[in-house]
Amino acid sequence: MIVRVSTEGQYELKDEALERLHELDNACQAAVEAGDGERFHGCYEQLLELIRNEGEELQDDDLRGSDLTLPPPDITLEEAQSEFSAHGLIPD
Amino acid sequence: MAGLTGRMSTVVKAKVSKLLDRAEDPAETLDYSYQKQVEQLQNVKKGIADVVTAKKRLQMQEATLKQSVVKLDTQARQAVSAGQEDLARTALERKNVAQTELQGLDTQVTELEDQQQKLTDSEQKLRAKIEAFRTKKEVIKAQYSAAEAQVKISEAATGVGEQMADVGLAMQRAVDKTENMKARADAVSELEAAGTFDDVTALGSGEDDIDRQLKQLSSQPAVDDELAKMKGELGQGVSAPPAQIEAPAEGGEESAPAAADAQPAEDGQA
Protein backbone atom coordinates (compact mmCIF):
# COMPACT_ATOMS: atom_id res chain seq x y z
CA MET A 1 0.00 0.00 0.00
CA ILE A 2 1.30 3.46 -0.88
CA VAL A 3 0.78 6.26 1.61
CA ARG A 4 1.52 9.90 1.00
CA VAL A 5 2.37 12.28 3.79
CA SER A 6 1.41 15.65 2.33
CA THR A 7 4.31 18.04 1.74
CA GLU A 8 6.72 15.26 2.72
CA GLY A 9 6.63 12.28 0.36
CA GLN A 10 5.26 8.83 -0.46
CA TYR A 11 5.97 5.62 1.42
CA GLU A 12 5.27 2.00 0.56
CA LEU A 13 3.89 0.19 3.58
CA LYS A 14 3.67 -3.55 4.16
CA ASP A 15 0.28 -5.00 5.00
CA GLU A 16 1.41 -5.87 8.52
CA ALA A 17 1.60 -2.19 9.39
CA LEU A 18 -1.90 -1.43 8.19
CA GLU A 19 -3.78 -2.58 11.25
CA ARG A 20 -1.70 -0.32 13.48
CA LEU A 21 -2.12 2.50 10.99
CA HIS A 22 -5.90 2.21 11.09
CA GLU A 23 -5.90 2.12 14.88
CA LEU A 24 -3.84 5.28 15.10
CA ASP A 25 -5.85 6.92 12.36
CA ASN A 26 -9.09 6.33 14.22
CA ALA A 27 -7.54 7.48 17.48
CA CYS A 28 -6.44 10.70 15.77
CA GLN A 29 -9.91 11.24 14.36
CA ALA A 30 -11.41 10.68 17.83
CA ALA A 31 -9.02 13.26 19.30
CA VAL A 32 -9.99 15.71 16.55
CA GLU A 33 -13.68 15.21 17.29
CA ALA A 34 -13.03 15.67 21.00
CA GLY A 35 -11.17 18.90 20.21
CA ASP A 36 -8.17 17.64 22.18
CA GLY A 37 -5.17 19.23 20.50
CA GLU A 38 -2.51 17.67 22.68
CA ARG A 39 -3.85 14.17 22.22
CA PHE A 40 -4.27 14.76 18.51
CA HIS A 41 -0.70 15.96 17.98
CA GLY A 42 0.73 13.09 20.05
CA CYS A 43 -1.32 10.60 18.14
CA TYR A 44 -0.57 12.07 14.74
CA GLU A 45 3.13 12.10 15.51
CA GLN A 46 2.92 8.37 16.29
CA LEU A 47 1.11 7.78 13.03
CA LEU A 48 3.80 9.63 11.09
CA GLU A 49 6.56 7.77 12.91
CA LEU A 50 4.94 4.46 12.03
CA ILE A 51 4.89 5.37 8.36
CA ARG A 52 8.43 6.76 8.36
CA ASN A 53 9.85 3.79 10.26
CA GLU A 54 7.91 0.93 8.70
CA GLY A 55 7.47 2.34 5.24
CA GLU A 56 9.97 2.58 2.46
CA GLU A 57 10.18 5.96 0.79
CA LEU A 58 9.32 5.95 -2.90
CA GLN A 59 11.81 7.23 -5.44
CA ASP A 60 11.04 10.73 -6.68
CA ASP A 61 10.48 9.51 -10.23
CA ASP A 62 8.01 6.81 -9.21
CA LEU A 63 4.72 7.65 -10.87
CA ARG A 64 2.44 5.43 -8.82
CA GLY A 65 -0.47 7.11 -7.12
CA SER A 66 -1.14 6.80 -3.40
CA ASP A 67 -3.81 4.67 -1.76
CA LEU A 68 -3.94 6.99 1.20
CA THR A 69 -3.05 10.62 1.73
CA LEU A 70 -2.23 12.06 5.13
CA PRO A 71 -2.39 15.72 6.06
CA PRO A 72 0.90 17.66 6.38
CA PRO A 73 2.99 16.96 9.50
CA ASP A 74 2.46 20.54 10.74
CA ILE A 75 -1.32 20.36 10.55
CA THR A 76 -3.14 22.23 13.31
CA LEU A 77 -6.10 20.91 15.25
CA GLU A 78 -8.28 23.56 13.62
CA GLU A 79 -7.24 22.40 10.16
CA ALA A 80 -7.87 18.79 11.11
CA GLN A 81 -11.31 19.75 12.33
CA SER A 82 -12.19 21.46 9.08
CA GLU A 83 -13.38 19.87 5.91
CA PHE A 84 -10.00 19.70 4.28
CA SER A 85 -11.16 21.29 1.09
CA ALA A 86 -12.94 24.27 2.61
CA HIS A 87 -10.11 25.99 4.45
CA GLY A 88 -7.40 26.05 1.88
CA LEU A 89 -5.57 22.96 3.06
CA ILE A 90 -6.14 21.56 -0.40
CA PRO A 91 -6.03 24.62 -2.60
CA ASP A 92 -7.95 24.84 -5.85
CA MET B 1 -12.20 4.56 5.93
CA ALA B 2 -13.65 7.07 8.31
CA GLY B 3 -10.44 8.22 9.97
CA LEU B 4 -8.41 11.31 9.41
CA THR B 5 -6.57 9.84 6.43
CA GLY B 6 -9.82 8.71 4.85
CA ARG B 7 -11.19 12.23 4.84
CA MET B 8 -7.97 13.65 3.50
CA SER B 9 -7.62 10.96 0.82
CA THR B 10 -11.11 11.59 -0.50
CA VAL B 11 -10.40 15.28 -0.96
CA VAL B 12 -7.04 14.67 -2.64
CA LYS B 13 -8.47 12.06 -5.00
CA ALA B 14 -11.24 14.41 -6.05
CA LYS B 15 -8.67 17.11 -6.60
CA VAL B 16 -6.41 14.89 -8.70
CA SER B 17 -9.21 13.56 -10.86
CA LYS B 18 -10.34 17.13 -11.43
CA LEU B 19 -6.83 17.88 -12.63
CA LEU B 20 -6.89 14.95 -15.01
CA ASP B 21 -10.47 15.00 -16.16
CA ARG B 22 -10.09 17.71 -18.73
CA ALA B 23 -9.23 15.61 -21.70
CA GLU B 24 -10.71 12.45 -23.18
CA ASP B 25 -8.26 11.62 -25.89
CA PRO B 26 -4.99 10.07 -24.62
CA ALA B 27 -2.73 12.31 -26.63
CA GLU B 28 -4.63 15.30 -25.35
CA THR B 29 -4.38 14.04 -21.78
CA LEU B 30 -0.65 13.73 -22.19
CA ASP B 31 -0.15 17.15 -23.58
CA TYR B 32 -2.54 18.79 -21.18
CA SER B 33 -1.00 17.07 -18.17
CA TYR B 34 2.50 17.92 -19.25
CA GLN B 35 1.62 21.53 -19.86
CA LYS B 36 0.00 21.78 -16.43
CA GLN B 37 3.00 20.15 -14.82
CA VAL B 38 5.43 22.61 -16.31
CA GLU B 39 3.22 25.52 -15.26
CA GLN B 40 3.11 24.19 -11.73
CA LEU B 41 6.88 23.91 -11.67
CA GLN B 42 7.13 27.59 -12.61
CA ASN B 43 4.72 28.43 -9.81
CA VAL B 44 6.85 26.60 -7.28
CA LYS B 45 9.92 28.50 -8.36
CA LYS B 46 8.06 31.74 -7.91
CA GLY B 47 6.80 30.54 -4.54
CA ILE B 48 10.34 29.81 -3.40
CA ALA B 49 11.52 33.22 -4.59
CA ASP B 50 8.72 34.89 -2.57
CA VAL B 51 9.72 33.03 0.56
CA VAL B 52 13.36 34.00 0.08
CA THR B 53 12.42 37.66 -0.42
CA ALA B 54 10.33 37.68 2.74
CA LYS B 55 13.14 36.02 4.64
CA LYS B 56 15.72 38.55 3.45
CA ARG B 57 13.54 41.41 4.55
CA LEU B 58 13.24 39.93 8.03
CA GLN B 59 16.98 39.31 8.18
CA MET B 60 17.74 42.90 7.27
CA GLN B 61 15.44 44.07 10.02
CA GLU B 62 17.16 41.71 12.41
CA ALA B 63 20.56 43.22 11.58
CA THR B 64 19.25 46.75 12.15
CA LEU B 65 17.61 45.81 15.43
CA LYS B 66 20.76 44.12 16.68
CA GLN B 67 22.68 47.33 16.10
CA SER B 68 20.02 49.28 17.97
CA VAL B 69 20.21 46.91 20.93
CA VAL B 70 23.97 47.34 21.23
CA LYS B 71 23.75 51.10 20.83
CA LEU B 72 20.91 51.56 23.32
CA ASP B 73 22.61 49.33 25.84
CA THR B 74 25.78 51.42 25.63
CA GLN B 75 23.78 54.61 26.02
CA ALA B 76 21.89 53.25 29.01
CA ARG B 77 25.18 52.44 30.72
CA GLN B 78 26.56 55.87 29.97
CA ALA B 79 23.39 57.52 31.25
CA VAL B 80 23.47 55.52 34.48
CA SER B 81 27.10 56.47 35.03
CA ALA B 82 26.20 60.10 34.52
CA GLY B 83 23.28 59.80 36.94
CA GLN B 84 20.75 60.44 34.18
CA GLU B 85 18.27 57.84 35.25
CA ASP B 86 15.39 58.80 33.00
CA LEU B 87 17.52 58.78 29.94
CA ALA B 88 18.78 55.37 30.99
CA ARG B 89 15.22 54.16 31.42
CA THR B 90 14.22 55.42 28.01
CA ALA B 91 17.16 53.68 26.45
CA LEU B 92 16.35 50.46 28.28
CA GLU B 93 12.71 50.59 27.27
CA ARG B 94 13.68 50.92 23.68
CA LYS B 95 16.21 48.19 24.00
CA ASN B 96 13.51 46.01 25.53
CA VAL B 97 11.14 46.63 22.63
CA ALA B 98 13.92 45.96 20.16
CA GLN B 99 14.81 42.69 21.86
CA THR B 100 11.23 41.50 21.92
CA GLU B 101 10.91 42.22 18.22
CA LEU B 102 14.22 40.47 17.58
CA GLN B 103 13.05 37.28 19.24
CA GLY B 104 9.89 37.29 17.16
CA LEU B 105 11.84 37.87 13.97
CA ASP B 106 14.24 35.09 14.80
CA THR B 107 11.43 32.57 15.21
CA GLN B 108 9.89 33.67 11.94
CA VAL B 109 13.12 33.51 9.98
CA THR B 110 13.53 29.91 11.16
CA GLU B 111 9.96 29.18 10.13
CA LEU B 112 10.53 30.65 6.67
CA GLU B 113 13.71 28.64 6.25
CA ASP B 114 11.68 25.55 7.02
CA GLN B 115 9.09 26.51 4.40
CA GLN B 116 11.80 27.23 1.86
CA GLN B 117 13.32 23.80 2.44
CA LYS B 118 9.95 22.10 2.06
CA LEU B 119 9.19 23.90 -1.17
CA THR B 120 12.62 23.10 -2.56
CA ASP B 121 12.11 19.42 -1.75
CA SER B 122 8.65 19.52 -3.33
CA GLU B 123 10.02 21.15 -6.43
CA GLN B 124 12.69 18.47 -6.74
CA LYS B 125 10.13 15.68 -6.40
CA LEU B 126 7.80 17.27 -8.91
CA ARG B 127 10.64 17.82 -11.37
CA ALA B 128 11.66 14.15 -11.10
CA LYS B 129 8.09 13.01 -11.65
CA ILE B 130 7.59 15.31 -14.63
CA GLU B 131 10.78 14.02 -16.17
CA ALA B 132 9.67 10.42 -15.63
CA PHE B 133 6.28 11.26 -17.07
CA ARG B 134 7.82 12.84 -20.15
CA THR B 135 9.86 9.71 -20.85
CA LYS B 136 6.95 7.46 -20.14
CA LYS B 137 4.52 9.24 -22.41
CA GLU B 138 6.79 8.70 -25.39
CA VAL B 139 7.00 5.00 -24.56
CA ILE B 140 3.24 4.78 -24.14
CA LYS B 141 2.57 6.57 -27.41
CA ALA B 142 4.92 4.22 -29.25
CA GLN B 143 3.95 0.91 -27.71
CA TYR B 144 0.28 0.81 -26.87
CA SER B 145 -3.02 0.82 -28.66
CA ALA B 146 -5.30 3.76 -27.92
CA ALA B 147 -7.38 1.84 -25.37
CA GLU B 148 -4.38 0.49 -23.50
CA ALA B 149 -2.62 3.82 -23.68
CA GLN B 150 -5.56 5.53 -22.00
CA VAL B 151 -5.19 3.31 -18.92
CA LYS B 152 -1.41 3.60 -18.77
CA ILE B 153 -1.49 7.32 -19.20
CA SER B 154 -4.05 7.92 -16.54
CA GLU B 155 -1.96 5.81 -14.15
CA ALA B 156 1.15 7.83 -14.85
CA ALA B 157 -0.72 11.11 -14.84
CA THR B 158 -2.24 10.26 -11.46
CA GLY B 159 1.21 10.03 -9.95
CA VAL B 160 2.19 13.42 -11.28
CA GLY B 161 -1.22 14.93 -10.59
CA GLU B 162 -0.94 13.90 -6.98
CA GLN B 163 2.48 15.50 -6.71
CA MET B 164 1.08 18.64 -8.28
CA ALA B 165 -1.72 18.77 -5.72
CA ASP B 166 0.87 18.24 -3.01
CA VAL B 167 3.07 21.04 -4.27
CA GLY B 168 -0.01 23.26 -4.40
CA LEU B 169 -0.66 22.48 -0.77
CA ALA B 170 2.96 23.17 0.22
CA MET B 171 2.81 26.50 -1.60
CA GLN B 172 -0.45 27.47 0.03
CA ARG B 173 1.08 26.88 3.43
CA ALA B 174 4.18 28.84 2.50
CA VAL B 175 2.08 31.74 1.24
CA ASP B 176 0.03 31.81 4.45
CA LYS B 177 3.18 31.82 6.54
CA THR B 178 4.81 34.48 4.38
CA GLU B 179 1.75 36.71 4.78
CA ASN B 180 2.05 36.44 8.54
CA MET B 181 5.72 37.35 8.31
CA LYS B 182 4.93 40.39 6.21
CA ALA B 183 2.54 41.60 8.85
CA ARG B 184 5.29 41.36 11.44
CA ALA B 185 7.87 42.95 9.19
CA ASP B 186 5.46 45.84 8.58
CA ALA B 187 4.92 46.25 12.30
CA VAL B 188 8.67 46.44 12.91
CA SER B 189 9.02 48.93 10.07
CA GLU B 190 6.39 51.12 11.66
CA LEU B 191 8.24 51.07 14.96
CA GLU B 192 11.45 51.96 13.16
CA ALA B 193 9.79 54.77 11.25
CA ALA B 194 8.44 56.16 14.50
CA GLY B 195 11.97 56.36 15.80
CA THR B 196 11.38 53.77 18.50
CA PHE B 197 14.85 52.35 18.17
CA ASP B 198 16.61 55.65 17.54
CA ASP B 199 19.57 56.92 19.37
CA VAL B 200 18.29 58.48 22.61
CA THR B 201 20.74 61.33 22.34
CA ALA B 202 19.02 62.29 19.09
CA LEU B 203 15.86 63.23 20.93
CA GLY B 204 16.64 66.90 21.15
CA SER B 205 16.21 69.11 24.17
CA GLY B 206 12.41 69.36 24.47
CA GLU B 207 10.14 66.89 26.17
CA ASP B 208 7.93 66.71 23.09
CA ASP B 209 10.27 64.30 21.46
CA ILE B 210 10.30 62.02 24.47
CA ASP B 211 6.49 62.09 24.63
CA ARG B 212 6.24 61.21 21.01
CA GLN B 213 8.65 58.34 21.40
CA LEU B 214 6.96 56.97 24.47
CA LYS B 215 3.55 57.06 22.83
CA GLN B 216 4.91 54.61 20.31
CA LEU B 217 5.59 52.24 23.16
CA SER B 218 2.20 52.67 24.77
CA SER B 219 1.25 49.07 24.09
CA GLN B 220 3.20 48.33 27.23
CA PRO B 221 1.16 49.45 30.24
CA ALA B 222 4.31 49.50 32.31
CA VAL B 223 5.72 52.16 30.02
CA ASP B 224 2.56 54.26 30.36
CA ASP B 225 2.93 54.06 34.10
CA GLU B 226 6.52 55.09 33.85
CA LEU B 227 5.61 58.02 31.66
CA ALA B 228 2.92 59.20 34.06
CA LYS B 229 5.32 58.92 36.96
CA MET B 230 8.00 60.73 35.10
CA LYS B 231 5.66 63.53 34.09
CA GLY B 232 4.58 63.83 37.69
CA GLU B 233 8.16 64.14 38.78
CA LEU B 234 9.19 66.58 36.11
CA GLY B 235 6.05 68.68 35.79
CA GLN B 236 4.52 69.42 32.38
CA GLY B 237 6.41 71.31 29.74
CA VAL B 238 9.61 71.62 31.71
CA SER B 239 12.63 71.13 29.57
CA ALA B 240 14.31 69.23 32.32
CA PRO B 241 17.87 68.05 32.27
CA PRO B 242 17.56 64.36 33.15
CA ALA B 243 19.85 64.51 36.16
CA GLN B 244 17.36 66.71 38.02
CA ILE B 245 15.07 63.84 38.90
CA GLU B 246 15.24 63.47 42.64
CA ALA B 247 12.52 61.25 43.91
CA PRO B 248 11.58 58.26 41.79
CA ALA B 249 8.37 56.64 43.10
CA GLU B 250 10.09 53.27 43.53
CA GLY B 251 12.62 54.26 46.07
CA GLY B 252 12.88 57.93 46.66
CA GLU B 253 16.61 57.59 46.93
CA GLU B 254 19.19 60.00 45.79
CA SER B 255 20.33 59.81 42.23
CA ALA B 256 23.50 57.90 43.02
CA PRO B 257 21.80 54.84 44.66
CA ALA B 258 19.07 54.92 42.01
CA ALA B 259 21.71 54.65 39.36
CA ALA B 260 23.20 51.72 41.21
CA ASP B 261 19.76 50.02 41.23
CA ALA B 262 19.37 50.47 37.52
CA GLN B 263 22.53 48.60 36.76
CA PRO B 264 21.36 45.02 37.57
CA ALA B 265 18.00 45.58 35.84
CA GLU B 266 19.84 46.52 32.72
CA ASP B 267 22.02 43.42 32.92
CA GLY B 268 18.94 41.29 33.38
CA GLN B 269 17.63 42.45 30.05
CA ALA B 270 20.82 41.89 28.16
Side-chain angles (χ1 to χ4, degrees):
Chain A
M1 176 179 226
I2 296 174
V3 178
R4 174 184 288 276
V5 177
S6 296
T7 72
E8 180 171 313
Q10 288 171 289
Y11 298 84
E12 186 152 24
L13 268 185
K14 292 202 174 70
D15 291 347
E16 295 87 83
L18 293 184
E19 194 180 332
R20 181 85 185 118
L21 186 146
H22 290 313
E23 275 174 27
L24 284 170
D25 187 24
N26 288 329
C28 287
Q29 179 62 25
V32 168
E33 282 165 18
D36 187 339
E38 200 173 320
R39 186 150 61 95
F40 167 64
H41 288 296
C43 174
Y44 195 50
E45 197 49 45
Q46 281 184 53
L47 180 53
L48 292 172
E49 284 307 305
L50 172 80
I51 293 165
R52 289 167 186 152
N53 293 335
E54 304 286 321
E56 194 173 331
E57 197 166 1
L58 249 58
Q59 295 292 313
D60 287 352
D61 62 358
D62 196 320
L63 289 174
R64 286 179 290 169
S66 309
D67 300 290
L68 269 185
T69 302
L70 273 69
D74 61 353
I75 188 173
T76 63
L77 177 68
E78 290 70 30
E79 285 173 326
Q81 282 171 326
S82 72
E83 290 301 315
F84 288 119
S85 57
H87 288 259
L89 189 59
I90 310 282
D92 287 326
Chain B
M1 184 159 42
L4 188 71
T5 61
R7 289 197 291 128
M8 182 82 187
S9 300
T10 307
V11 176
V12 171
K13 278 185 177 141
K15 168 82 184 160
V16 172
S17 64
K18 206 173 130 195
L19 272 175
L20 302 178
D21 243 13
R22 308 286 164 86
E24 305 242 319
D25 157 30
E28 210 180 310
T29 308
L30 284 175
D31 292 339
Y32 180 78
S33 297
Y34 189 63
Q35 180 199 328
K36 280 282 160 201
Q37 291 159 21
V38 173
E39 274 172 25
Q40 181 74 304
L41 207 52
Q42 295 303 323
N43 286 338
V44 189
K45 280 185 186 160
K46 198 175 159 295
I48 294 172
D50 288 347
V51 171
V52 170
T53 305
K55 192 179 76 178
K56 280 191 179 147
R57 185 177 173 202
L58 293 185
Q59 284 172 329
M60 277 165 66
Q61 287 190 327
E62 271 192 321
T64 310
L65 282 179
K66 275 179 187 161
Q67 285 176 357
S68 296
V69 167
V70 171
K71 192 177 65 190
L72 290 166
D73 184 74
T74 307
Q75 289 186 333
R77 282 170 200 278
Q78 287 169 346
V80 168
S81 304
Q84 295 181 314
E85 200 196 329
D86 63 338
L87 197 60
R89 180 170 288 136
T90 304
L92 289 177
E93 281 163 354
R94 288 169 185 215
K95 182 185 154 196
N96 193 271
V97 174
Q99 279 178 322
T100 306
E101 292 300 332
L102 256 181
Q103 280 167 7
L105 286 176
D106 202 43
T107 310
Q108 304 220 352
V109 166
T110 308
E111 178 106 14
L112 280 186
E113 262 160 15
D114 189 39
Q115 292 300 320
Q116 186 187 341
Q117 188 57 49
K118 275 186 181 152
L119 277 184
T120 308
D121 292 347
S122 292
E123 188 208 6
Q124 190 189 325
K125 281 187 165 57
L126 181 60
R127 186 183 294 279
K129 283 200 200 299
I130 290 175
E131 189 50 35
F133 182 82
R134 198 174 63 81
T135 311
K136 194 155 190 166
K137 80 183 170 105
E138 296 313 316
V139 174
I140 292 170
K141 272 181 186 169
Q143 292 187 349
Y144 293 96
S145 70
E148 284 171 323
Q150 180 73 74
V151 177
K152 296 278 172 196
I153 287 163
S154 75
E155 279 170 9
T158 300
V160 192
E162 211 183 280
Q163 191 64 40
M164 283 163 64
D166 195 63
V167 166
L169 195 158
M171 286 213 293
Q172 184 65 49
R173 292 180 97 63
V175 166
D176 290 349
K177 295 239 160 69
T178 310
E179 289 301 316
N180 291 340
M181 311 291 142
K182 277 183 188 151
R184 174 170 283 271
D186 288 346
V188 175
S189 292
E190 276 174 31
L191 286 174
E192 276 175 355
T196 307
F197 309 123
D198 281 357
D199 196 318
V200 286
T201 58
L203 288 174
S205 57
E207 240 196 359
D208 288 351
D209 279 316
I210 296 173
D211 284 344
R212 183 174 67 79
Q213 298 297 337
L214 287 175
K215 268 179 198 151
Q216 303 300 331
L217 306 176
S218 61
S219 60
Q220 294 176 302
V223 175
D224 279 342
D225 292 348
E226 289 289 345
L227 177 61
K229 274 181 203 163
M230 248 182 232
K231 280 186 169 175
E233 299 292 335
L234 292 167
Q236 294 294 326
V238 179
S239 181
Q244 283 186 353
I245 301 167
E246 285 174 19
E250 295 88 1
E253 293 120 328
E254 307 270 322
S255 60
D261 284 350
Q263 196 73 45
E266 176 195 353
D267 286 340
Q269 287 179 5

